């Protein structure tokens, strides 16, 4: 999984990454501070393709795909655990099964999960099912899970991207074949999700991400399957906007932040040309202003993540080749998006 960086209700950041035997977790000791605790291993044997979703209550929902070996062959299911407070233990892992409870072979073909929390506090988990469509399961605010439902769709590829606006309107972006991506959205907070028009896009699987770029509007990002260039699209845009970055790999980490007093969107990815993390920024929803990717940090750093810390400053995190967490923070005394020196956290 890509590294995830979340800010809790107390303002402290937590980083999550897949690790041997489960999930590695690092936690800021104080909001905006330089010291961290971790890594602490959250045990989860057989877990892979982890994602983390967060709602307005600050709860962190960890969702992953688990493989269990048995005498009849491997069993695949989706599992979920919740962290209610920063730095505290998680609940026990709870199996959500799969969209194919009677088809073990079909269950082995499901994709990586995506998850988001809507305005009611309900968590929705999505996977590409064995038939090439999307299946979803919903946990209501009281913790009760509905059954898996079929959201339909065809030719869906791996790498679903789920996100929600600040007012809790959820969107799902699903890369699909034949030069299109599928999109579901909630027209109003708490409304039933509905299928939107297909997005003209040839998406590289596993490269999609999204951010709320203005109140109530999500901008979706992906890599072009052919060129590898990063593209940005939102519902009111006539076409996807090119953002360069063709030498990057994986999904783009993205966060909305204030830079030099301006509302900006900050992006980060691993640049395969330099072998380092590359960072860029542009005025929010003004991709035409231009994007310049600047390599930063040490060689081999990968799976970058972005977040705003308790002081509202941009924090970039990545994993080093030794498994340690690398962190850099926004400078506030220089023009543009400048980063302080990268620091290493804990032991790998």
């Amino acid at each position: 999984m890509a590294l995830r960086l979340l800010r809790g209700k107390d303002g402290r950041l937590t980083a999550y990454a897949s690790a041997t035997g489960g999930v590695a977790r690092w936690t800021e000791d104080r909001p905006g501070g330089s010291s961290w605790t971790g890594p602490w291993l959250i045990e989860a044997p057989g877990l892979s393709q982890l994602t983390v979703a967060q709602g307005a209550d600050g709860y962190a929902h960890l969702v992953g795909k688990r493989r269990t070996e048995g005498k009849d062959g491997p069993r695949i299911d989706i599992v979920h655990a919740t962290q209610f407070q920063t730095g505290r233990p998680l609940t026990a892992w709870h199996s959500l099964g799969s969209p194919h409870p009677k088809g073990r072979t079909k269950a082995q073909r499901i994709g990586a999960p995506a998850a988001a929390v809507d305005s009611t506090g309900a968590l929705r988990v999505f996977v590409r099912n064995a038939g090439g469509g999307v299946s979803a399961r919903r946990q209501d605010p009281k913790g009760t899970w509905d059954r898996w439902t079929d959201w339909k769709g065809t030719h869906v590829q791996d790498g679903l991207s789920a996100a929600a606006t600040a007012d809790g309107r959820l969107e799902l972006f699903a890369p699909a074949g034949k030069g299109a991506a599928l999109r579901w959205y909630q027209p109003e907070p708490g409304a039933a999700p509905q299928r939107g028009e297909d997005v003209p896009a040839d998406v590289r699987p596993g490269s999609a991400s999204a951010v709320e770029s203005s109140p109530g509007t999500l901008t979706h990002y992906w890599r072009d399957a052919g060129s590898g260039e990063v593209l940005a699209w939102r519902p009111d845009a006539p076409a996807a906007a090119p953002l360069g970055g063709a030498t990057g790999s994986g999904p783009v980490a993205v966060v909305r932040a204030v830079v030099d007093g301006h509302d900006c969107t900050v992006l980060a990815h691993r640049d395969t040309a330099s072998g380092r993390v590359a960072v860029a920024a542009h005025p929010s929803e003004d991709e035409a202003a231009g994007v310049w990717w600047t390599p930063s940090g040490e060689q081999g750093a990968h799976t970058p993540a972005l977040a705003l810390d308790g002081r509202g400053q941009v924090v970039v995190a990545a994993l080093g080749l030794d498994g340690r967490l690398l962190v850099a923070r926004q400078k506030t005394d220089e023009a543009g998006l400048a980063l302080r020196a990268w620091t290493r956290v804990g032991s790998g």
Side-chain angles (χ1 to χ4, degrees):
M1 89 167 204
L3 181 72
R4 292 302 305 272
L5 195 60
L6 300 182
R7 186 176 67 194
K9 295 291 282 186
D10 65 356
R12 290 188 293 160
L13 296 176
T14 303
Y16 304 87
S18 295
T20 302
V23 182
R25 186 184 78 182
W26 297 262
T27 306
E28 264 188 326
D29 291 335
R30 61 182 178 83
S34 60
S35 61
W36 296 64
T37 297
W40 181 65
L41 180 66
I42 302 167
E43 294 186 1
L47 188 74
S48 65
Q49 298 180 319
L50 181 78
T51 189
V52 187
Q54 186 179 40
D57 54 15
Y59 298 170
H61 296 274
L62 281 68
V63 181
K65 189 162 73 171
R66 181 174 63 183
R67 179 187 178 99
T68 305
E69 299 295 339
K71 61 180 181 180
D72 298 327
R75 178 177 181 270
I76 302 296
D77 64 344
I78 302 298
V79 294
H80 165 255
T82 306
Q83 181 179 321
F84 295 108
Q85 290 181 299
T86 303
R88 302 295 296 171
L90 276 70
T91 63
W93 291 97
H94 171 68
S95 175
L96 305 184
S98 85
H100 311 289
K102 297 181 179 180
R104 178 173 293 195
T105 301
K106 287 185 176 180
Q108 293 175 18
R109 302 204 302 270
I110 65 174
V117 181
D118 69 17
S119 63
T120 69
L123 169 70
R124 278 190 170 87
V125 174
F126 308 93
V127 296
R128 187 204 69 226
N129 59 42
V134 171
S135 292
R137 195 166 183 190
R138 177 182 179 273
Q139 182 191 40
D140 69 25
K142 295 182 179 180
T144 301
W145 285 94
D146 298 339
R147 295 183 178 183
W148 286 99
T149 58
D150 187 356
W151 281 29
K152 307 300 182 181
T154 58
H155 305 293
V156 172
Q157 300 173 343
D158 218 355
L160 306 181
S161 172
T165 59
D167 63 2
R169 287 186 292 114
L170 180 147
E171 289 194 22
L172 177 70
F173 182 91
K178 300 183 178 179
L182 313 184
R183 175 176 168 265
W184 288 261
Y185 70 100
Q186 289 177 300
E188 300 293 340
Q194 62 186 47
R195 176 83 174 266
E197 293 186 3
D198 292 354
V199 181
D202 193 6
V203 181
R204 182 171 294 181
S207 70
S209 58
V211 72
E212 185 173 19
S213 52
S214 64
T217 299
L218 288 170
T219 296
H220 298 273
Y221 299 83
W222 66 85
R223 292 189 186 281
D224 180 77
S227 68
E229 183 175 28
V230 178
L231 298 170
W233 177 91
R234 54 189 159 271
D236 62 350
L243 299 177
T247 58
S249 64
V252 175
V254 58
V255 71
R256 192 169 156 210
V258 175
V259 178
D260 286 345
H262 300 287
D263 180 357
C264 290
T265 297
V266 180
L267 308 101
H269 67 185
R270 184 176 187 271
D271 179 39
T272 54
S274 67
R276 303 160 70 191
V277 170
V279 181
H282 65 80
S284 291
E285 300 191 349
D286 185 11
E287 293 83 4
V291 173
W292 292 268
W293 295 91
T294 303
S296 180
E298 65 182 48
Q299 293 278 338
H302 57 96
T303 58
L306 288 166
L308 299 183
D309 66 13
R311 298 177 179 177
Q313 297 176 4
V314 175
V315 176
V316 188
L319 295 177
L321 289 176
D322 57 2
R324 293 189 181 186
L325 182 68
L326 308 172
V327 177
R329 295 181 187 273
Q330 178 184 7
K331 287 184 177 181
T332 57
D333 54 357
E334 289 188 20
L337 179 64
L339 298 176
R340 300 188 185 279
W342 289 77
T343 59
R344 307 179 77 79
V345 177
S347 58

